[in-house]
Amino acid sequence: MAAIVLVAAVALLSLRMGAGSGGELVVFTAGSLRIPLEKVAEEYKRLHGTDVIIEASGSVEAIRKVTDLGRKADIIAVADYRLIPRFLVPRYASWYIAFASNELVLVYTNHSKYHELLEKHPEEWYEILSRSDVKWGFSDPNKDPCGYRAVGAIGLASLYYHNASILGLLTNNTNIEVRRMENGTLELVVPADLEVRSGSNLVVRPKSVDLIALLEAGELDYAFEYRSVAVQHHLHYLRLPRAINLGDPRESSFYSRVVVRILSGTDKETAVAMAPIVYGITVLDDAPHHEEAVRFLRLLLGPYGRKVFEEAGQPFLEKPLAYGRVPEELRSLVSLQGQEG
């Protein structure tokens, strides 16, 4: 009889702790979301006693862990909400939420070559990057939205400044191809086997935050990053013009004039039109801890999560936008948009 009581007590404790199978929520996330998500995870554990495992990578890579590798997770959080309807809906997820924004910046340190010149003449940023003694970088466009946004921003700069030579930052350093379409759109084609040319001063890493250590060690002068990453790591950064930084919804029409084709030459080739930066999140339909995951999103989308993200330099949308069959528990926190994609 005592053994039965003990088993029942353990079972009840497991339910209260939200243990489920393994007792841990697993989140596959974009690297640029890691820091605020870890803070929300700490608060969630304090409130509910459940560990939340935050596994960061490039957003495309995070999704492919599920779609290509068959790995199990509860939540997917990405730096471009459009990736969710493109790759996860309807097979892996039936709803998603666009919730936070950001902008692209050029980060540097006091040791970066020509940083004094950049600060006096910020409009010369692309000329500084083209100098033979300057090392600069962006993340892999085939794995990380910050990477394809950096490529897109360079394309937008060529249009904004009416200077096609700016595209040499891509074509002189990589095997990225430039196509000018009849409708005026500029397409930047990124081969699946992206190559950095021998002797180039360009550095490409799997995700944008991988470049921070190189920058802080003085091995890199400049890198394209999200403003939130610069804020979280206390780095100097140049704010690019609104028509380039992908942070202003009023510039949506101009942004769309540049399309980046990632994973070109494979069956996963995808055309990504440049658009304002908006982060997205979903709970997978087969999440091992589905109810817990929804409860985690209630905390993230509520006042506590909003404050954490604001302080991290990733302000929330005025009201997050929800698409698809959103759980009832989250509906008061979002604006229902119906299904997209």
Side-chain angles (χ1 to χ4, degrees):
M1 181 69 179
I4 294 175
V5 172
L6 178 60
V7 170
V10 170
L12 180 60
L13 179 61
S14 294
L15 287 173
R16 287 177 176 171
M17 296 292 283
S21 67
E24 296 176 340
L25 281 176
V26 176
V27 182
F28 292 165
T29 183
S32 60
L33 286 169
R34 180 183 61 81
I35 289 176
L37 282 179
E38 284 180 346
K39 290 184 179 179
V40 176
E42 288 173 6
E43 178 67 3
Y44 188 83
K45 182 174 182 178
R46 186 187 72 80
L47 292 171
H48 303 293
T50 303
D51 287 321
V52 183
I53 307 302
I54 308 295
E55 186 174 317
S57 65
S59 294
V60 177
E61 189 174 357
I63 287 173
R64 294 182 73 179
K65 289 174 186 177
V66 173
T67 61
D68 294 12
L69 302 180
R71 293 185 58 194
K72 290 291 184 182
D74 298 289
I75 295 168
I76 299 283
V78 294
D80 187 342
Y81 83 99
R82 297 173 299 171
L83 295 173
I84 297 176
R86 187 165 291 162
F87 294 113
L88 293 176
V89 175
R91 183 175 177 184
Y92 302 95
S94 54
W95 57 271
Y96 57 98
I97 296 170
F99 70 101
S101 61
N102 218 322
E103 68 180 80
L104 203 65
V105 299
L106 194 64
V107 298
Y108 63 96
T109 71
N110 287 333
H111 302 292
S112 299
K113 293 184 179 70
Y114 310 111
H115 72 89
E116 300 96 339
L117 175 62
L118 180 73
E119 290 162 357
K120 290 180 181 177
H121 300 285
E123 71 281 0
E124 295 186 13
W125 64 269
Y126 57 88
E127 187 276 330
I128 292 172
L129 294 187
S130 69
R131 297 189 178 196
S132 60
D133 58 341
V134 170
K135 294 196 70 172
W136 63 286
F138 54 72
S139 56
D140 187 341
N142 289 320
K143 296 180 179 179
D144 186 22
C146 193
Y148 62 66
R149 285 167 170 154
V151 170
I154 291 170
L156 288 168
S158 74
L159 301 177
Y160 176 74
Y161 294 112
H162 304 285
N163 185 348
S165 69
I166 294 173
L167 294 170
L169 290 171
L170 301 173
T171 57
N172 294 338
N173 291 295
T174 72
N175 58 346
I176 293 175
E177 178 187 347
V178 175
R179 296 176 185 168
R180 299 183 185 277
M181 312 308 288
E182 289 184 2
N183 63 0
T185 300
L186 184 67
E187 281 199 353
L188 304 173
V189 183
V190 184
D193 56 345
L194 175 64
E195 296 177 0
V196 176
R197 300 195 191 284
S198 176
S200 170
N201 282 334
L202 172 65
V203 174
V204 176
R205 290 292 183 268
K207 57 184 185 292
S208 62
V209 293
D210 293 341
L211 299 166
I212 298 301
L214 298 177
L215 195 73
E216 293 174 334
E219 296 177 25
L220 201 62
D221 295 301
Y222 300 94
F224 284 96
E225 295 282 354
Y226 295 122
R227 189 167 77 91
S228 63
V229 173
V231 170
Q232 292 161 15
H233 291 270
H234 310 291
L235 295 167
H236 298 301
Y237 61 93
L238 171 69
R239 298 188 75 170
L240 300 165
R242 292 181 309 180
I244 298 172
N245 68 19
L246 302 175
D248 191 339
R250 293 170 296 180
E251 298 287 350
S252 294
S253 179
F254 186 75
Y255 295 158
S256 68
R257 292 176 60 187
V258 172
V259 173
V260 180
R261 286 191 170 273
I262 60 173
L263 297 167
S264 180
T266 72
D267 60 356
K268 291 193 168 44
E269 180 171 334
T270 303
V272 184
M274 293 299 96
I277 296 169
V278 180
Y279 288 84
I281 196 164
T282 188
V283 175
L284 296 171
D285 287 346
D286 67 348
H289 312 90
H290 198 279
E291 290 185 12
E292 281 257 40
V294 172
R295 185 163 63 178
F296 180 83
L297 259 63
R298 270 196 68 81
L299 177 64
L300 187 152
L301 297 170
Y304 178 81
R306 181 178 288 267
K307 180 174 182 291
V308 166
F309 274 78
E310 291 277 353
E311 291 174 350
Q314 291 159 296
F316 268 27
L317 304 183
E318 185 173 344
K319 193 157 191 180
L321 308 176
Y323 302 87
R325 298 191 296 275
V326 181
E328 186 67 37
E329 302 94 316
L330 302 177
R331 293 189 177 187
S332 64
L333 300 171
V334 301
S335 174
L336 297 174
Q337 305 296 302
Q339 188 66 53
E340 180 180 283

